[in-house]
Amino acid sequence: MEAAVIDAGSKLLKAGTAVPDQAPPIIIPTQMKRMLEDGSSTDGSLFEDVNVDPVVRGFIRDWDAMEDLLHYVLYTGLEWEEGNEGQILFTDPLCTPKSVREQLVQLMFETFNVTGFYASEQAVLSLYAVGRISGCTVDIGHGKIDIASVIEGAVQHIASRRFEIGGIDLTKLLAQELGKSNPLVNLNVSDVEIIKEKYSSCAEDELAYEKTQQSSEYEEHTLPDGQVIKVGRERYTVGEALFQPAILGLEAHGIVEQLVRSISTVSSENHRQLLENTVLCGSITSMPGFEDRFQKEASLCSSAIRPSLVKPPEYMPAELTQYSAWVGGAILAKVVFPQNQHVTKGDYDEAGPSVVHRKCF
Amino acid sequence: MSWQTYVDEHLMCDIDGQGQHLSAAAIVGHDGSVWAQSSSFPQFKPQEITDIMKDFEEPGHLAPTGLHLGGTKYMVIQGEAGAVIRGKKGSGGITIKKTGQALVFGIYEEPVTPGQCNMVVERLGDYLVDQGL
């Protein structure tokens, strides 16, 4: 039986059996709605109140909700049978606390009775998806941004950084900006998300951004409830915030500069290998103009070696950035499970949850 | 049981019944004195032990320069702060577990996996910690 691969993000959960060069069969929102009658939850649609986010900023926080979500994904989505559970691979963000990993492995073996478990960091997996074992990843997710350096499949933690900002903060920024220029329109979070995904793009460089801020051209967008909203220069603000975090009110450097600085802590013989194999992950990186802007900022940055982006292999699906960690997980699952490098039920029974730190890295 | 027996039978043991074992192992005191070692364990320098002990105190100390043992350089990978240091060299590597008074070393080569080396070294290390050593 094929292993299952699950990438639980703050916004979307990607799941499927380990078939590497395809998109994950199940991509569902992680957010759940609490139903008060029987206490269980369903996945999917976003309502006004009682929304439960099992995954916050990349880490699993609400274990009961996560258990229900996984139950749905595994038994209904992937059609596992009770009593015949298989092997499972999870992806973790950078700096996952040990306790979160241990709790996950405990949940998997004790509640779901899986036969094998493996967990790997998303940065390593995204690199596997593009056919590399060394390089850096800039993973811009919904709840966090991870900038990681990986050498030969091992994350260099001192040269990696995690930022507690992500798509969700950019959505809030966009909502604020749209509120200022469209004061009479009533916006809610899901509408703004749609507008963000549809309209946002990245200016070519800082000067071009300044020009857009002064222009008054706009497009009209009709919200589901019939209201019409004007989206003009705000669309560039979202992309710009990644390169100029001051827009979000943060005193930090833009992502390219952060990348170069993180790498400077690694021994210099590896710098070239890391910077020349940079991978962008996350749907926001497929925003029009983002890659070009990244390349441009890269040529301006303060390092002798310029970051350059890796081109995904041709046999990979086009939307790879949205689920590169899942695809990498599928590739890894095909290697780890047959070679028995994973945590088996026997290992877990003998050593307890802490065995995950010994076998999975 | 003598320390040499610990090394010969518990560290250099057959892994998972597949006829594989670590390529070298040793139990060394915090001061660098060798309590027992396998025949192929490399000759190390006292400075290397000092650096390892320092990394247990301040995790991240060895990462920029790498972990050196007997002149071999290992790339430091994710360990457990203050308890385990793991290093990688090509397809092989090293695991060092710190106990109350000693350091347990395990060096592996392909086809032994890092996970298997960790299990062997850390299992013995945990046992020694329980015994107060």
Side-chain angles (χ1 to χ4, degrees):
Chain A
M1 194 170 122
E2 295 281 358
V5 179
I6 297 195
D7 180 7
S10 317
K11 180 174 167 190
L12 293 174
L13 181 128
K14 283 76 74 184
T17 44
V19 181
D21 41 5
Q22 292 173 18
I26 300 176
I27 305 182
I28 55 176
T30 317
Q31 193 171 52
M32 302 162 76
K33 186 184 99 162
R34 175 153 290 144
M35 313 244 284
L36 298 167
E37 311 90 87
D38 51 357
S40 64
S41 316
T42 61
D43 67 312
S45 35
L46 303 138
F47 286 74
E48 232 58 279
D49 323 319
V50 220
N51 279 330
V52 175
D53 279 309
V55 181
V56 174
R57 305 256 169 222
F59 299 138
I60 301 176
R61 290 275 180 246
D62 185 338
W63 290 94
D64 292 328
M66 196 63 200
E67 189 183 320
D68 287 334
L69 182 59
L70 286 173
H71 200 276
Y72 171 80
V73 169
L74 293 173
Y75 293 113
T76 315
L78 293 177
E79 292 175 5
W80 273 15
E81 290 159 5
E82 296 216 14
N84 192 20
E85 289 85 356
Q87 299 158 327
I88 195 163
L89 186 143
F90 268 88
T91 70
D92 295 326
L94 267 190
C95 312
T96 301
K98 284 165 70 163
S99 55
V100 170
R101 268 188 157 196
E102 286 181 18
Q103 207 161 348
L104 183 62
V105 92
Q106 188 171 5
L107 182 72
M108 284 289 112
F109 279 115
E110 295 188 8
T111 312
F112 289 93
N113 228 353
V114 300
T115 48
F117 177 92
Y118 200 81
S120 183
E121 286 174 286
Q122 290 161 358
V124 177
L125 299 178
S126 298
L127 279 167
Y128 288 160
V130 295
R132 300 277 190 285
I133 53 173
S134 304
C136 354
T137 63
V138 178
D139 186 342
I140 306 179
H142 187 66
K144 49 85 181 144
I145 296 182
D146 279 345
I147 296 183
S149 319
V150 178
I151 298 181
E152 295 193 7
V155 177
Q156 305 295 301
H157 288 94
I158 50 166
S160 306
R161 241 160 254 195
R162 175 193 151 91
F163 300 99
E164 304 277 334
I165 57 171
I168 193 170
D169 306 283
L170 296 173
T171 307
K172 283 192 196 136
L173 175 72
L174 185 61
Q176 252 180 333
E177 295 290 312
L178 286 174
K180 278 187 227 161
S181 50
N182 293 277
L184 300 173
V185 180
N186 240 347
L187 286 173
N188 68 15
V189 176
S190 49
D191 293 333
V192 182
E193 288 262 352
I194 297 174
I195 295 175
K196 181 182 80 167
E197 283 165 28
K198 194 163 167 194
Y199 290 102
S200 57
S201 48
C202 225
E204 276 177 9
D205 58 26
E206 289 190 26
L207 289 175
Y209 176 67
E210 298 296 316
K211 283 202 205 112
T212 64
Q213 292 302 292
Q214 282 150 23
S215 84
S216 51
E217 45 179 70
Y218 59 85
E219 287 187 33
E220 286 194 348
H221 172 80
T222 315
L223 294 174
D225 56 3
Q227 300 177 81
V228 174
I229 189 172
K230 296 199 176 89
V231 181
R233 58 195 180 168
E234 296 83 10
R235 57 198 291 192
Y236 293 102
T237 312
V238 171
E240 195 65 27
L242 290 170
F243 295 99
Q244 289 190 54
I247 297 176
L248 278 168
L250 290 173
E251 283 203 22
H253 299 276
I255 48 175
V256 180
E257 192 64 30
Q258 295 282 13
L259 174 65
V260 168
R261 276 161 191 255
S262 318
I263 297 201
S264 60
T265 46
V266 172
S267 65
S268 52
E269 59 200 33
N270 293 316
H271 283 181
R272 178 168 295 273
Q273 196 182 32
L274 290 175
L275 287 173
E276 290 185 352
N277 291 297
T278 307
V279 177
L280 294 176
C281 320
S283 344
I284 208 171
T285 61
S286 51
M287 176 174 24
F290 184 88
E291 262 191 52
D292 293 330
R293 178 63 186 275
F294 193 92
Q295 305 264 30
K296 193 147 191 189
E297 294 276 327
S299 61
L300 292 171
C301 74
S302 55
S303 139
I305 307 172
R306 310 267 171 262
S308 61
L309 299 176
V310 167
K311 280 226 157 320
E314 275 148 23
Y315 49 81
M316 284 299 176
E319 304 290 303
L320 189 61
T321 56
Q322 293 181 26
Y323 36 75
S324 51
W326 185 89
V327 173
I331 294 173
L332 187 64
K334 286 211 162 301
V335 169
V336 156
F337 290 116
Q339 290 185 11
N340 281 328
Q341 290 177 26
H342 57 282
V343 179
T344 61
K345 188 98 173 61
D347 291 332
Y348 176 78
D349 287 336
E350 194 187 303
S354 59
V355 75
V356 71
H357 307 301
R358 293 182 193 173
K359 284 205 121 179
C360 304
F361 59 89
Chain B
M1 211 191 266
S2 73
W3 292 111
Q4 192 60 44
T5 324
Y6 275 117
V7 170
D8 296 334
E9 288 182 24
H10 293 271
L11 289 177
M12 300 299 288
C13 59
D14 194 71
I15 299 176
D16 294 339
Q18 283 166 16
Q20 297 164 359
H21 44 102
L22 301 179
S23 48
I27 305 178
V28 174
H30 287 188
D31 54 0
S33 55
V34 178
W35 295 7
Q37 62 183 16
S38 70
S39 48
S40 48
F41 195 77
Q43 187 87 352
F44 55 83
K45 304 190 195 70
Q47 180 59 36
E48 292 167 347
I49 300 293
T50 319
D51 281 333
I52 290 171
M53 290 302 296
K54 184 126 192 262
D55 193 80
F56 278 121
E57 305 279 314
E58 304 167 16
H61 170 70
L62 285 176
T65 52
L67 164 67
H68 293 259
L69 193 74
T72 316
K73 182 175 169 190
Y74 295 90
M75 181 175 83
V76 177
I77 54 178
Q78 173 79 318
E80 287 174 45
V84 184
I85 295 177
R86 300 190 186 117
K88 198 164 102 88
K89 183 179 158 61
S91 53
I94 185 171
T95 303
I96 311 174
K97 168 101 182 172
K98 180 182 179 195
T99 69
Q101 296 170 26
L103 300 170
V104 182
F105 287 77
I107 300 179
Y108 65 94
E109 294 288 329
E110 225 179 357
V112 176
T113 66
Q116 286 170 323
C117 177
N118 288 334
M119 293 295 275
V120 169
V121 170
E122 296 185 37
R123 202 167 44 202
L124 181 68
D126 288 339
Y127 172 74
L128 292 179
V129 169
D130 283 341
Q131 302 294 308
L133 298 161

